[in-house]
Amino acid sequence: ERPLSEHVKLERDGDVLAITLGRPERRNAITVAMYAALADAFEAAAKDDELRLITLRGEGQDFTAGNDLGAFMAELPRDGSDIPVWRLLRALARNELPVAAAVHGNAVGIGTTMLFHCDFVVAEEGTRFLMPFVDLGLVPEAASSLILPRLAGRRRAARYLLLGEPFGPDEALDFGLVSYVAPAGQLDAALARLVSALRSKPAEALRLTQRLLRRGHTDELLERMELENGHFSERLTSNEVKEAITAFFAARSPGQKAAEEATSSQ
């Protein structure tokens, strides 16, 4: 099926599915429709025996500036029902196909946390990772409160999640979020080399090894996501979030508002 959003582009090249965030005029800020399209794509890929690999990238100057806050708050169901972003995160946690992400510019909020569920992350020099959940009155998602301390240790996790400190690709490479750092202008070439290398491997051995790598972690990830999502949903109706988001929109200049209506993320 085709995605629900024209801002999520799917291209099939044999056994590789390329997923592109295609909303560059808004720095790929993710709308509810985009979350639904991404969830659809990953759920469909899980049932496709011909697929060997999924790639993920963003058009324009950024990988993604995270949630489109305005759209997200406007379209949020108030009855506690399931929402597309949670569907996407569960699909990422359950996914057994290798996922290679190519990241550049800003990777904000879910733009960083979704990378914890990718098997390869190639980041271009100058990439800026940022998880400003607390600044927006929110809590982390995508099981990042579980995965990040394991990868980076509690001290770094506290800097990135509690203080919301940004970090770059070399730091991300050091603690294991990033697989490779590509020189400026070489991101697409680096991703192409990675795809070629994976395609050259025996397909069934690759698939079985991937399942072994992920085995035993899915239930734990889903349980943590459920816990985070509950807190996140409750926070969305809090005064802290309303004040933080109002301040976020008020702080930008008219030029910024025109250029990046909902840039910063969850």
Side-chain angles (χ1 to χ4, degrees), residues 187-229:
L187 183 63
D188 289 343
L191 179 64
R193 283 194 299 272
L194 176 59
V195 169
S196 178
L198 286 166
R199 277 180 137 168
S200 73
K201 308 294 182 189
E204 192 58 24
L206 192 74
R207 189 183 294 264
L208 288 170
T209 301
Q210 172 72 353
R211 286 179 181 166
L212 288 168
L213 281 170
R214 286 182 174 258
R215 190 172 181 83
H217 301 294
T218 304
D219 288 347
E220 188 180 22
L221 293 178
L222 291 170
E223 183 183 353
R224 179 58 63 97
M225 284 180 183
E226 197 69 24
L227 182 63
E228 290 173 344
N229 295 354

Side-chain angles (χ1 to χ4, degrees), residues 248-261:
F248 166 73
F249 282 115
R252 291 167 312 137
S253 69
Q256 278 179 301
K257 288 174 185 173
E260 45 181 77
E261 166 125 8

